[in-house]
């Protein structure tokens, strides 16, 4: 019997972008896919191995909560995992006031201002007395001040944004803050999406299933080198696009996060993740027991993880967040790299670092499916 010869594809990075494309191409029956990752694990930044001693599933790169309005993306991922429904809640710790819901809602305002706003109309009237009137708001600060006024904007977003991005709120593009819903009622949830869930057996299990295919091979602790290119018909590359081009137009800015783990005998926080919107160095604190699917039995100690944002150079060149600004300098640099990338017929850049987009998980899966399906019909 003559076996069909399949074209070889290289995928750089075994996170959501790479794994989604790998599976889609392998499922077509036309390609043999080799996926490499410089880390010693698959699942990218969603990697969530079990800490056996503590009986906890811990997201190594910070909490990942799946949410989407796109039923097709959810159905697609449901081929590889079951889910536990989970509507994410966050509270901010505010000095002298304690824990308050975030996004700001009616309870937040009643707690902070010691008032008794009864309904949405009350909340809107109250915010009307605080809000600013920037015509055609151009940045995150003006957008927030037009809703909440200067004091609440600074309290919840100004200092947090400074430490998270090393930018003033006035330098942050509006779409970053638009990730948070605006609430006039008591809804305590962080997202509005119709579908919100955690993979029942964790993200790592989801990735193991996604990559479990006879035409997918995986090499870990394997760094991409340009000499690999000649062995493949096409490369899907999630490495930082500026690094691929040897930063010839300058290094793109990315933010990173250092995770500080503390083992405690006792601890209380009201929700799985608490935000610190003050001037201290931490932005978030996670109690892993509180995430559905993460608490796996009795333990002798509790694990708390705190996040300290930093530049990627200060965190072993781990690039987590592309940094875009109102002035647009990073975007201009990225455009030059994208222009170079478009000349490469044998390579497609994918994912947060390859496309320099602040993607959520569902968005990167949607975009990667589109890329793979376009490739299959090209
Ligand atoms: N943000 C803030 N205060 C908060 C939470 C968020 O100022 O307590 C701003 C901040 O600029 C942050 C952005 O809103 O980077 C988006 O927040 P999100 O929680 O979506 O960030 P991610 O989970 O992606 O780190």
């Amino acid at each position: 019997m003559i076996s069909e010869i399949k074209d070889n594809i290289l995928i750089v990075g075994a996170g959501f972008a790479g794994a989604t494309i790998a599976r889609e191409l392998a499922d077509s029956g036309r390609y043999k896919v080799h996926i490499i990752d410089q880390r010693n694990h698959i699942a990218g930044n969603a990697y969530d191995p079990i800490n056996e001693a503590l009986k906890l599933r811990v997201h190594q790169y910070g909490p990942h909560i799946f949410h989407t309005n796109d039923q097709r993306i959810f159905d697609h991922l449901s081929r590889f995992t079951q889910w536990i429904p989970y509507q994410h809640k966050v509270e901010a710790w505010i000095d002298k006031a304690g824990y308050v819901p975030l996004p700001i809602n009616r309870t937040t305002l009643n707690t902070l201002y010691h008032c008794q706003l009864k309904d949405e109309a009350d909340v809107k009237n109250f915010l009307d007395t605080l809000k600013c009137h920037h015509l055609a708001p151009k940045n995150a600060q003006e957008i927030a001040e037009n809703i909440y006024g200067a004091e609440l904007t600074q309290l919840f977003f100004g200092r947090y944004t400074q430490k998270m991005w090393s930018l003033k709120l006035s330098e942050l593009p509006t779409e970053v803050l638009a990730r948070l819903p605006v609430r006039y009622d008591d809804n305590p949830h962080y997202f509005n999406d119709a579908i919100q869930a955690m993979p029942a057996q964790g993200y790592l299990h989801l990735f193991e299933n996604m990559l479990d295919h006879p035409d997918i091979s995986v090499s870990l602790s394997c760094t991409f080198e340009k000499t690999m290119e000649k062995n493949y018909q096409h490369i899907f590359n999630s490495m930082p696009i500026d690094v691929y081009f040897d930063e010839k137009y300058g290094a793109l800015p990315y933010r990173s996060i250092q995770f500080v783990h503390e083992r405690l005998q006792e601890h209380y926080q009201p929700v799985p993740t608490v935000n610190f919107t003050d001037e201290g160095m931490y932005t978030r604190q996670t109690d892993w027991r509180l995430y559905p699917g993460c608490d796996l039995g009795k333990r002798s100690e509790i694990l708390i993880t705190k996040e300290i944002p930093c530049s990627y150079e200060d965190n072993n060149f781990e690039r987590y967040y592309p940094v875009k600004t109102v002035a647009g300098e990073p975007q201009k640099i990225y455009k030059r790299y994208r222009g170079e990338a478009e000349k490469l017929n044998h390579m497609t850049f994918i994912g947060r670092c390859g496309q320099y987009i602040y993607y959520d998980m569902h968005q990167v899966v949607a975009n990667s499916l589109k890329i793979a399906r376009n490739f299959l019909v090209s």
Side-chain angles (χ1 to χ4, degrees), residues 65-113:
I65 297 101
F66 187 79
H67 58 101
T68 184
N69 279 319
D70 192 336
Q71 185 68 44
R72 287 166 310 168
I73 297 304
F74 188 66
D75 291 345
H76 177 78
L77 290 175
S78 302
R79 289 174 55 198
F80 311 112
T81 186
Q82 295 178 320
W83 301 93
I84 306 174
Y86 167 63
Q87 281 196 285
H88 190 38
K89 283 187 193 168
V90 172
E91 298 202 359
W93 171 259
I94 302 289
D95 194 28
K96 298 198 180 79
Y99 293 110
V100 293
L102 189 86
I104 298 169
N105 69 9
R106 186 162 70 88
T107 311
T108 315
L109 297 174
N110 280 337
T111 308
L112 287 179
Y113 290 96

Side-chain angles (χ1 to χ4, degrees), residues 102 156-158 160-161 164-165 172 176-177 179-180 190 275 277 284 321 352 358 360:
L102 189 86
F156 285 97
F157 309 119
Y160 186 106
T161 292
M164 174 63 215
W165 297 99
L172 190 73
V176 177
L177 209 57
R179 293 167 59 84
L180 276 67
Y190 202 64
N275 281 17
T277 64
R284 293 194 277 223
Y321 294 83
R352 259 196 191 194
Y358 183 4
D360 283 335

Side-chain angles (χ1 to χ4, degrees), residues 228-343:
M228 296 173 178
E229 292 180 24
K230 61 180 185 314
N231 301 326
Y232 298 91
Q233 189 221 343
H234 199 87
I235 298 121
F236 294 90
N237 196 338
S238 73
M239 72 187 285
I241 191 167
D242 53 325
V243 175
Y244 179 82
F245 290 110
D246 303 318
E247 298 181 346
K248 66 179 178 180
Y249 300 127
L252 284 168
Y254 298 85
R255 288 297 274 173
S256 196
I257 295 188
Q258 285 171 356
F259 298 96
V260 180
H261 304 287
E262 281 176 25
R263 290 166 78 137
L264 304 170
Q265 291 300 323
E266 280 178 40
H267 176 74
Y268 168 78
Q269 62 184 61
V271 287
T273 292
V274 166
N275 281 17
F276 299 110
T277 64
D278 58 11
E279 273 123 7
M281 62 179 155
Y282 301 114
T283 44
R284 293 194 277 223
Q285 173 175 293
T286 295
D287 181 341
W288 296 102
R289 291 173 300 173
L290 303 182
Y291 277 114
C294 292
D295 184 351
L296 303 171
K298 276 209 162 120
R299 66 191 57 77
S300 53
E301 283 178 311
I302 296 154
L303 186 75
I304 300 302
T305 302
K306 294 179 176 172
E307 301 182 25
I308 307 174
C310 59
S311 79
Y312 69 90
E313 293 99 326
D314 292 338
N315 192 30
N316 200 22
F317 291 81
E318 292 271 10
R319 296 162 168 90
Y320 297 158
Y321 294 83
V323 182
K324 299 194 180 169
T325 62
V326 171
E329 208 45 51
Q331 293 95 307
K332 278 187 210 147
I333 299 173
Y334 168 67
K335 263 194 174 164
R336 299 187 74 184
Y337 288 120
R338 197 181 59 195
E340 292 288 317
E342 279 164 3
K343 294 181 208 153

Side-chain angles (χ1 to χ4, degrees), residues 131-147 174:
K131 72 185 187 189
C132 304
H133 299 274
H134 301 287
L135 293 175
K138 302 174 286 302
N139 57 56
Q141 180 162 349
E142 292 183 354
I143 284 276
E145 287 182 349
N146 274 1
I147 302 166
T174 54

Side-chain angles (χ1 to χ4, degrees), residues 164-217:
M164 174 63 215
W165 297 99
S166 192
L167 291 175
K168 294 194 184 71
L169 196 55
S170 59
E171 296 170 308
L172 190 73
T174 54
E175 63 264 22
V176 177
L177 209 57
R179 293 167 59 84
L180 276 67
V182 176
R183 305 220 182 278
Y184 301 106
D185 58 8
D186 260 350
N187 183 343
H189 300 122
Y190 202 64
F191 305 116
N192 279 338
D193 301 63
I195 302 164
Q196 304 184 32
M198 301 286 272
Q201 291 157 287
Y203 289 98
L204 179 56
H205 183 72
L206 183 163
F207 275 81
E208 282 166 353
N209 287 341
M210 211 188 305
L211 296 176
D212 180 15
H213 190 289
D215 284 331
I216 298 178
S217 58

Side-chain angles (χ1 to χ4, degrees), residues 18-84:
T20 299
I21 293 174
R23 182 60 186 237
E24 204 61 13
L25 298 190
D27 276 347
S28 77
R30 287 157 49 194
Y31 297 101
K32 277 218 165 296
V33 182
H34 186 202
I35 182 162
I36 63 172
D37 202 297
Q38 62 183 6
R39 290 175 174 158
N40 63 3
H41 61 77
I42 57 169
N45 289 351
Y47 181 56
D48 60 352
I50 294 169
N51 180 323
E52 293 291 353
L54 294 177
K55 297 266 181 289
L56 285 172
R57 192 186 311 285
V58 177
H59 299 193
Q60 297 287 294
Y61 305 92
H64 282 63
I65 297 101
F66 187 79
H67 58 101
T68 184
N69 279 319
D70 192 336
Q71 185 68 44
R72 287 166 310 168
I73 297 304
F74 188 66
D75 291 345
H76 177 78
L77 290 175
S78 302
R79 289 174 55 198
F80 311 112
T81 186
Q82 295 178 320
W83 301 93
I84 306 174

